[in-house]
């Protein structure tokens, strides 16, 4: 995540992080459904309105790195070195994201997500949004119309690769296997 430069931006970022950390701690201690927004705000020593100025919903508190992950995927597609192929750049970023999300410290969070229909639904909508953003970035980078089917399909495959690999016995091997298929599909276009 980019470091905020001004004092006000740093304070906002610190407040946002404090709220997210407090929420996650409470969710893991008490269970997601047992913790309310007011509980989180009180524990983080902020007003409920302050909490909602940083997070749109209770589910967003669990996925607080959502925008950062989306930006990273878009940058992998658009900020690659001249002449660097698209798919290997996306593979590298996906491997990094999978490594982050399959770390031992992430296991309790994923268990909580998997146990909650609301969190699973939020994750799915988040993945669809990431796929649309990535498709738009790929199309723009290649000078294609935003709704190009090939760009949208590849973006969905990349986003779904992350989810499939996260659940695999060997996540990194799964990323490699999936990206061999993605690369073959992309070359066919």
């Amino acid at each position: 995540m980019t470091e905020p430069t001004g004092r006000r931006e740093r304070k906002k970022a610190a407040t946002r992080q404090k709220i997210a950390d407090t929420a996650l701690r409470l969710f893991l201690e008490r269970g997601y459904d047992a913790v309310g927004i007011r509980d989180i705000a009180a524990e983080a020593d902020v007003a409920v309105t302050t909490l909602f100025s940083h997070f749109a919903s209770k589910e967003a508190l669990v996925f607080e790195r959502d925008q950062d992950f989306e930006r990273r995927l878009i940058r992998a597609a658009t900020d690659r070195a001249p002449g660097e192929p698209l798919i290997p750049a996306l593979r590298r970023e996906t491997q990094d994201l999978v490594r982050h999300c399959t770390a031992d410290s992430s296991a309790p969070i994923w268990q909580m997500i998997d146990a909650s229909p609301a969190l699973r639904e939020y994750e799915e909508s988040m993945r669809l949004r990431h796929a649309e953003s990535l498709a738009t970035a790929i199309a723009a980078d290649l000078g294609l119309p935003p709704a190009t089917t090939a760009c949208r399909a590849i973006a969905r495959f990349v986003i779904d690769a992350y989810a499939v690999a996260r659940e695999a016995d060997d996540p990194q091997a799964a990323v490699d296997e999936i990206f061999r298929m993605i690369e073959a599909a992309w070359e066919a276009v």
Side-chain angles (χ1 to χ4, degrees), residues 10-57:
R10 285 192 309 271
K11 285 184 75 171
K12 282 179 70 173
T15 298
R16 177 182 168 79
Q17 194 61 56
K18 179 181 177 183
I19 293 167
D21 292 345
T22 300
L24 187 57
R25 180 178 52 78
L26 291 174
F27 293 152
L28 292 174
E29 286 174 4
R30 302 181 193 169
Y32 178 76
D33 292 327
V35 177
I37 292 295
R38 291 185 193 285
D39 300 326
I40 298 164
E43 187 80 13
D45 196 26
V46 298
V48 171
T49 55
T50 300
L51 187 147
F52 280 121
S53 73
H54 291 279
F55 297 95
S57 67

Side-chain angles (χ1 to χ4, degrees), residues 98-113:
V98 167
R99 216 177 342 272
H100 169 79
C101 291
T102 58
D104 289 342
S105 60
S106 296
I109 298 165
W110 286 109
Q111 289 168 353
M112 176 181 64
I113 292 166

Side-chain angles (χ1 to χ4, degrees), residues 7 14 16 18 20-21 24 32 38 43 54 57-59 65 67 73 87 94 140 148 151 159 170 182 188:
R7 181 175 184 256
R16 177 182 168 79
K18 179 181 177 183
D21 292 345
L24 187 57
Y32 178 76
R38 291 185 193 285
E43 187 80 13
H54 291 279
S57 67
K58 182 179 171 183
E59 294 83 6
R65 304 256 341 254
Q67 291 177 344
L73 285 165
I87 303 304
T94 301
T148 301
C151 294
I159 298 300
D170 184 345
I182 292 172

